[in-house]
Amino acid sequence: MQVTCLARECEGERILEILESSASKGTMELLYTRRPNAYLSYKKESDDTKVFVIKENEQIIATIAEIIRKVYIGGEVKKIAYVCGLKKDINYKGNVNWGKVFFRSLVRDDIDGYFCSVLSDNKSAIDLFEKKRKNVMMTELLGEYRTYLMTPYFKFRLEENSYLFKRASKCDEQQIIKFLNEQGRKKEFFPVIEHIEQFTNLRIEDFYVLKNGNEIIAVGALWNQVEYRQYIVKKYNGVMKIARCLNIFLRLLGYIQLPKENENIDFPMLSFFISKDDNEEYYKIFLNNLKNEMKKGGMFVIGTVESSFNGKIYNKLRNIHFDTRIYSIDFIAGKGKKVIINKNKLWLECGLL
């Protein structure tokens, strides 16, 4: 008999074992993990995070997490749950009743909506969200999300301008928060920002601003989260295996230096990167200046809905990427609340997925 219950801190190492029991498939087998203690790592994501374990005969066989945040939906503040970490131990040969786990453990009356992300190569998870469990939950594909790994070796052709680009300081904090909320309110899933410290390991000094006079016109932060969650390449296959052998030549062409297998990839995420009214020129000017702040030989990661205007910018740059599908979840029998999502305004922060 399977039982779902709230996890405890002492079970964090076992949850980590399950997360690391298998990597994503494809030409680059990528392991997304949360060392050293997965339970504590999830708890760093928000003040309202629930971590669950599924047990059989007192043994933990699977895990799932629910990270609840306030975000903007249709210009209003909503409480949305991000469902993640859905994984069973690869050595467990039985089936997990995920429908029961979702319905009985995750659903709360005070939550306005639920969503999740699934790697596009994870066929079994895609089947779960697209083909199964229709008696428990309905899912809707909101968009294709792409995560880019890039070096700062790029240059946009731009007209001369008098904008000021600078690293933020404490005196800029309130203006940055106001700007992010004003612009973020126009997006779907942009987090409500009350103070910078609500995000673990993020400081105001990690932000950069582009200003026109005293007005902020673009913002972004280099946010490093390697202390509590990591990406590790377990194995290269196919064309990526060949590319790994040609690392030095790829580097000369402006691509990232492919990381060694079984080592943490140490990088910042370009987070909360947004311009006033989605001005493309501001984006390019910001990026042109930001590259001078990156350490020599470094790389950064950024994610966006592939069809968005900024996705079209990144697709033109030399990059290595992996794709994810974003689903909304609507529970049956009146237990979930359906929020209306404008797919054309979808905005998801890579550092919060």
Short mmCIF file of all heavy atoms in Angstrom, two decimals, residues 292-312:
data_model
loop_
_atom_site.label_atom_id
_atom_site.label_comp_id
_atom_site.label_asym_id
_atom_site.label_seq_id
_atom_site.Cartn_x
_atom_site.Cartn_y
_atom_site.Cartn_z
N ASN A 292 30.46 42.72 -20.58
CA ASN A 292 31.69 43.23 -19.99
C ASN A 292 31.78 42.93 -18.49
O ASN A 292 32.85 43.04 -17.90
CB ASN A 292 31.79 44.74 -20.22
CG ASN A 292 31.84 45.10 -21.69
OD1 ASN A 292 32.46 44.40 -22.48
ND2 ASN A 292 31.19 46.19 -22.06
N GLU A 293 30.65 42.57 -17.89
CA GLU A 293 30.61 42.23 -16.47
C GLU A 293 30.87 40.75 -16.22
O GLU A 293 31.08 40.34 -15.08
CB GLU A 293 29.25 42.61 -15.87
CG GLU A 293 28.89 44.07 -16.01
CD GLU A 293 29.78 44.97 -15.18
OE1 GLU A 293 30.21 44.52 -14.09
OE2 GLU A 293 30.05 46.11 -15.62
N MET A 294 30.81 39.96 -17.28
CA MET A 294 31.00 38.51 -17.14
C MET A 294 32.48 38.18 -17.07
O MET A 294 33.30 38.80 -17.76
CB MET A 294 30.37 37.79 -18.33
CG MET A 294 28.87 38.02 -18.50
SD MET A 294 27.92 37.18 -17.23
CE MET A 294 28.27 35.47 -17.63
N LYS A 295 32.82 37.21 -16.25
CA LYS A 295 34.22 36.82 -16.15
C LYS A 295 34.68 36.16 -17.45
O LYS A 295 33.91 35.55 -18.17
CB LYS A 295 34.42 35.85 -14.98
CG LYS A 295 33.72 34.50 -15.12
CD LYS A 295 33.98 33.63 -13.90
CE LYS A 295 33.30 32.26 -14.04
NZ LYS A 295 33.55 31.40 -12.86
N LYS A 296 35.95 36.35 -17.74
CA LYS A 296 36.52 35.81 -18.96
C LYS A 296 36.37 34.30 -18.98
O LYS A 296 36.68 33.61 -18.02
CB LYS A 296 38.00 36.19 -19.07
CG LYS A 296 38.62 35.82 -20.40
CD LYS A 296 40.06 36.32 -20.48
CE LYS A 296 40.67 35.97 -21.83
NZ LYS A 296 42.07 36.43 -21.92
N GLY A 297 35.88 33.79 -20.09
CA GLY A 297 35.67 32.35 -20.21
C GLY A 297 34.41 31.86 -19.55
O GLY A 297 34.16 30.66 -19.47
N GLY A 298 33.57 32.79 -19.05
CA GLY A 298 32.37 32.40 -18.34
C GLY A 298 31.20 32.10 -19.27
O GLY A 298 31.28 32.22 -20.48
N MET A 299 30.10 31.73 -18.64
CA MET A 299 28.86 31.46 -19.37
C MET A 299 27.71 31.89 -18.48
O MET A 299 27.88 32.10 -17.28
CB MET A 299 28.73 29.98 -19.72
CG MET A 299 28.73 29.06 -18.51
SD MET A 299 28.32 27.34 -18.88
CE MET A 299 26.53 27.45 -18.93
N PHE A 300 26.54 32.05 -19.07
CA PHE A 300 25.35 32.31 -18.29
C PHE A 300 24.18 31.55 -18.90
O PHE A 300 24.26 31.05 -20.02
CB PHE A 300 25.05 33.81 -18.20
CG PHE A 300 24.64 34.45 -19.51
CD1 PHE A 300 23.30 34.60 -19.83
CD2 PHE A 300 25.58 34.91 -20.41
CE1 PHE A 300 22.91 35.19 -21.02
CE2 PHE A 300 25.21 35.52 -21.60
CZ PHE A 300 23.88 35.65 -21.91
N VAL A 301 23.13 31.46 -18.14
CA VAL A 301 21.93 30.73 -18.56
C VAL A 301 20.75 31.68 -18.52
O VAL A 301 20.64 32.52 -17.62
CB VAL A 301 21.68 29.52 -17.63
CG1 VAL A 301 20.31 28.89 -17.91
CG2 VAL A 301 22.78 28.48 -17.80
N ILE A 302 19.89 31.55 -19.50
CA ILE A 302 18.64 32.31 -19.49
C ILE A 302 17.56 31.46 -20.14
O ILE A 302 17.84 30.61 -20.99
CB ILE A 302 18.79 33.67 -20.23
CG1 ILE A 302 17.57 34.55 -19.94
CG2 ILE A 302 19.02 33.48 -21.71
CD1 ILE A 302 17.77 36.00 -20.31
N GLY A 303 16.32 31.65 -19.71
CA GLY A 303 15.22 30.89 -20.27
C GLY A 303 14.07 31.79 -20.63
O GLY A 303 13.87 32.84 -20.01
N THR A 304 13.32 31.39 -21.65
CA THR A 304 12.16 32.18 -22.06
C THR A 304 11.25 31.33 -22.93
O THR A 304 11.66 30.29 -23.46
CB THR A 304 12.60 33.43 -22.84
OG1 THR A 304 11.47 34.26 -23.09
CG2 THR A 304 13.24 33.07 -24.16
N VAL A 305 10.02 31.75 -23.06
CA VAL A 305 9.11 31.11 -24.00
C VAL A 305 9.68 31.32 -25.39
O VAL A 305 10.00 32.45 -25.79
CB VAL A 305 7.69 31.71 -23.89
CG1 VAL A 305 6.76 31.08 -24.92
CG2 VAL A 305 7.15 31.52 -22.48
N GLU A 306 9.83 30.23 -26.12
CA GLU A 306 10.58 30.29 -27.37
C GLU A 306 9.98 31.25 -28.39
O GLU A 306 10.70 31.88 -29.17
CB GLU A 306 10.70 28.89 -27.96
CG GLU A 306 11.67 28.78 -29.11
CD GLU A 306 11.77 27.38 -29.67
OE1 GLU A 306 11.12 26.46 -29.12
OE2 GLU A 306 12.48 27.20 -30.67
N SER A 307 8.67 31.39 -28.39
CA SER A 307 8.00 32.22 -29.40
C SER A 307 8.01 33.70 -29.06
O SER A 307 7.59 34.53 -29.86
CB SER A 307 6.55 31.76 -29.57
OG SER A 307 5.84 31.87 -28.34
N SER A 308 8.49 34.07 -27.85
CA SER A 308 8.47 35.46 -27.43
C SER A 308 9.52 36.28 -28.17
O SER A 308 10.43 35.73 -28.80
CB SER A 308 8.72 35.56 -25.92
OG SER A 308 10.02 35.10 -25.62
N PHE A 309 9.42 37.60 -28.08
CA PHE A 309 10.36 38.45 -28.81
C PHE A 309 11.79 38.24 -28.33
O PHE A 309 12.73 38.24 -29.13
CB PHE A 309 9.95 39.92 -28.69
CG PHE A 309 10.48 40.61 -27.46
CD1 PHE A 309 11.67 41.32 -27.49
CD2 PHE A 309 9.79 40.54 -26.25
CE1 PHE A 309 12.16 41.95 -26.36
CE2 PHE A 309 10.28 41.16 -25.13
CZ PHE A 309 11.46 41.87 -25.17
N ASN A 310 11.97 38.03 -27.01
CA ASN A 310 13.33 37.82 -26.52
C ASN A 310 13.85 36.43 -26.89
O ASN A 310 15.05 36.25 -27.11
CB ASN A 310 13.44 38.07 -25.01
CG ASN A 310 12.32 37.42 -24.22
OD1 ASN A 310 11.29 37.05 -24.76
ND2 ASN A 310 12.52 37.29 -22.93
N GLY A 311 12.94 35.45 -27.00
CA GLY A 311 13.35 34.13 -27.48
C GLY A 311 13.89 34.21 -28.90
O GLY A 311 14.87 33.54 -29.25
N LYS A 312 13.29 35.04 -29.71
CA LYS A 312 13.77 35.21 -31.09
C LYS A 312 15.16 35.84 -31.12
O LYS A 312 15.96 35.56 -32.00
CB LYS A 312 12.77 36.05 -31.87
CG LYS A 312 11.42 35.35 -32.06
CD LYS A 312 10.38 36.27 -32.69
CE LYS A 312 9.04 35.56 -32.79
NZ LYS A 312 7.97 36.46 -33.31
#
